[in-house]
Each structure stands twice: as structure tokens, then as C-alpha cells.
Amino acid sequence: MADERIRVAVLGAAGRMGATVCRAVLDAPDMELVAVVDPPHEGRPLDDFGVAGTGLTLSMLGPSVKAAEPSVAVDFTHVDAARGNLRWCGLNGVHAVVGTTGLTGDDFSDLSALFDGERANAVVAPNFAIGAVLMMHLAALAAPWFESAEIIELHHDNKLDAPSGTAMLTAQRMAEASGEWAPDPTKTYALPGARGGEGPAGIHVHSVRLRGLVAHQEVLLGTTGQSLSIRHDSYDRTSFMPGVLLAVREVANRPGLTIGLDTLLGFGAT
Ligand code: NAD
């Protein structure tokens, strides 16, 4: 009987996320890891990066990867590398699942042309943690029923940017769901910045950086006599894997370019 497992290539396989994806693919009974790409580490065995026993060697993206016949490539690299990698996937008829962050509006226009549903499809998600996607969806759903909201995002102390992309996207989704937010009452500041940054629709976003944390976010919503807190915690990189594997399984059935996991989870944008 033919092997019907999904043939997966991992791009950025020596990286923190890439190596975690390799392990998740190896553990998935319906998937086969057929190629691992990481040019800065070309020629080294995948074993050197904590994924033992596959016999796979890190390579460039090119004829040897094509010969391995992947049907899906998962990219967790850096934005400049991802642009070239995705072009290769689109032109070679390989579906792409993309977790790399930092792609711009222009990139998304290019990707819609490249992944036109004819040769290949792509799923791009800035956050593959299913709980985080649900948190954003629930926050947008709740927004019209509350007059005030604040977002607190908390991350490890190596994070260089603030606020997180997820916090900004949450604020944007809430602002799209409701324009009726009470004005900020604060008139004087004993400490500049005490009220955090003002995001879309004036929603305040606070960034906490603390050693020992991974990635966390709480959305607080308030109205007369009650409040609602929606919190998500990622404790390690495995939190992203169910979402990545879902996208690997689904990408062939989603013509063109899909942004975010919402439709894959069965709910459209709020
Ligand atoms: P990392 O630096 O540990 O890994 C990146 C890897 O890509 C490195 O091994 C590097 O050598 C390799 N690389 C460089 N150029 C390449 C190329 N042309 N082709 C293939 N590989 C190449 O980074 P990381 O922590 O694993 O994060 C990777 C990306 O994933 C970042 O953009 C990060 O923001 C993003 N991320 C996304 C999610 C999500 O849910 N979408 C979650 C976590 C991290």
C-alpha cells in the first residue's frame, strides 16, 4: 500500500522553533520528515540540534529538497530568508506553512500572487498557539459589550520589541469590533508611561518583561459592575505545535493564501 503520510520539509530546522517542529512532525503518525533546510548549518546532521536518529542532514533549499518530494514546507526562519524560501515553494508547487514573523503588507501582496491556489497554497500565522488565537477571537467577540479595555502582555526578558505583535493584533481586532470606548480619565502622571501605550481605538497596551516567563497575555474588559479577564499562557515552544500540525494537515485544502488560524479552527474573523 502506498505511503499516504504528508511529506514535510522544515526550513530553519536548526533553529529553536524549527527543531521543535521537526520533533512534532516525527511524532505525528500521518507525517514524514523528508528534508531539513538550514543553509548556515549546511552539511551538519540534524542530530547536532537535538533531534536524534533521523539520518537527515541540513541542506540548502534547492534540487536535493525538490528530489525529496515534500508536499508541505514549514518555515520558521528570519523574515529576509523567508521571502526567498517562500518564492522557491510557490514556484516549485510546495505548499507553505509559515510562522516567521515580520512579513509586511507588500509581502502579503506578493504571497497572494505566488500562492494562487493553482500550483500551491500557503497558511501564514503570526501566532500558532491555538489558545492565543481563541483569546483574540473571544476578546473581539466581547468588545461591543464593554466600555473599557486594557491589554497586558508579558514576555521573557530577551524579547527585543514591545508591545508584542499578538497584543497589537488583539487591540486592532477589538477596535474593529467596537469603536465605543470610554475616554481615558487620567489627567496627571506621577510617572510618564504609567498608563502604557495607546493602541488602536485608544486601547491601552502594557508590556511586562520578566526573566522566567515565556509568552503570556491578559485582556481585561470592564463595564458597569463587572469585568471579564481573558488570559493565555504559552509555557514553552510545544504550545505552537498543535497549530502548526493543523496547518500542515489543512494547507492542501485551503486554496490560495490563508492568513491566521481562525478559519482553520472553524470561526471566521469577528
Ligand atoms: P532561530 O534564530 O532560533 O531560528 C531560525 C533558523 O533559521 C536558524 O537556525 C537559522 O540558521 C535559519 N536560517 C537562516 N536563514 C535561512 C534560510 N535562508 N533558510 C532556512 N533556514 C535559515 O529563531 P526562532 O526562535 O526559531 O524563530 C524563528 C521565527 O519564528 C521568528 O521569526 C519568530 O518570531 C517566529 N516565531 C513564530 C511563532 C508563531 O507562532 N508564528 C512562534 C515563535 C516564533
Side-chain angles (χ1 to χ4, degrees):
M1 209 175 91
D3 186 348
E4 289 178 0
R5 290 181 295 168
I6 304 168
R7 299 175 68 79
V8 181
V10 175
L11 317 183
R16 287 167 289 204
M17 285 298 289
T20 311
V21 172
C22 289
R23 278 190 286 272
V25 168
L26 290 165
D27 287 343
D30 57 339
M31 295 179 197
E32 187 181 3
L33 183 63
V34 296
V36 285
V37 174
D38 204 306
H41 303 287
E42 188 187 5
R44 289 181 64 184
L46 185 60
D47 305 55
D48 287 0
F49 299 92
V51 187
T54 63
L56 293 168
T57 301
L58 295 159
S59 70
M60 306 281 287
L61 191 55
S64 67
V65 178
K66 177 102 172 146
E69 298 183 345
S71 59
V72 180
V74 181
D75 187 292
F76 278 94
T77 60
H78 301 144
V79 68
D80 294 335
R83 290 187 182 107
N85 290 348
L86 296 177
R87 189 160 176 75
W88 185 93
C89 291
L91 296 177
N92 285 280
V94 177
H95 300 305
V97 169
V98 187
T100 304
T101 54
L103 293 167
T104 63
D106 285 348
D107 291 319
F108 286 114
S109 305
D110 292 347
L111 291 178
S112 335
L114 196 56
F115 294 96
D116 57 2
E118 292 291 325
R119 278 173 303 200
N121 308 327
V123 173
V124 185
N127 197 327
F128 273 100
I130 288 171
V133 179
L134 277 164
M135 170 187 63
M136 284 186 265
H137 184 71
L138 294 173
L141 201 63
W145 305 100
F146 292 83
E147 288 87 45
S148 52
E150 308 245 340
I151 297 171
I152 306 168
E153 58 96 340
L154 311 92
H155 280 83
H156 56 85
D157 60 341
N158 289 319
K159 187 167 173 61
L160 300 179
D161 56 317
S164 70
T166 299
M168 287 304 286
L169 188 55
T170 309
Q172 188 187 320
R173 298 265 308 263
M174 293 170 74
E176 282 162 10
S178 172
E180 295 185 19
W181 299 101
D184 183 359
T186 316
K187 294 280 179 267
T188 59
Y189 292 87
L191 201 57
R195 295 283 294 118
E198 253 187 55
I203 296 171
H204 287 249
V205 182
H206 308 265
S207 297
V208 177
R209 296 292 173 263
L210 207 66
R211 192 156 299 178
L213 295 181
V214 180
H216 317 259
Q217 182 169 297
E218 192 157 342
V219 182
L220 306 173
L221 296 119
T223 187
T224 314
Q226 58 181 308
S227 69
L228 172 68
S229 308
I230 307 168
R231 182 174 172 110
H232 176 258
D233 298 275
S234 273
Y235 299 113
D236 68 39
R237 290 186 185 86
T238 57
S239 65
F240 303 110
M241 294 306 115
V244 172
L245 297 185
L246 173 69
V248 169
R249 291 186 180 109
E250 280 292 315
V251 65
N253 307 322
R254 307 275 166 174
L257 174 66
T258 302
I259 299 172
L261 282 192
D262 295 68
T263 54
L264 275 65
L265 292 173
F267 42 83
T270 332

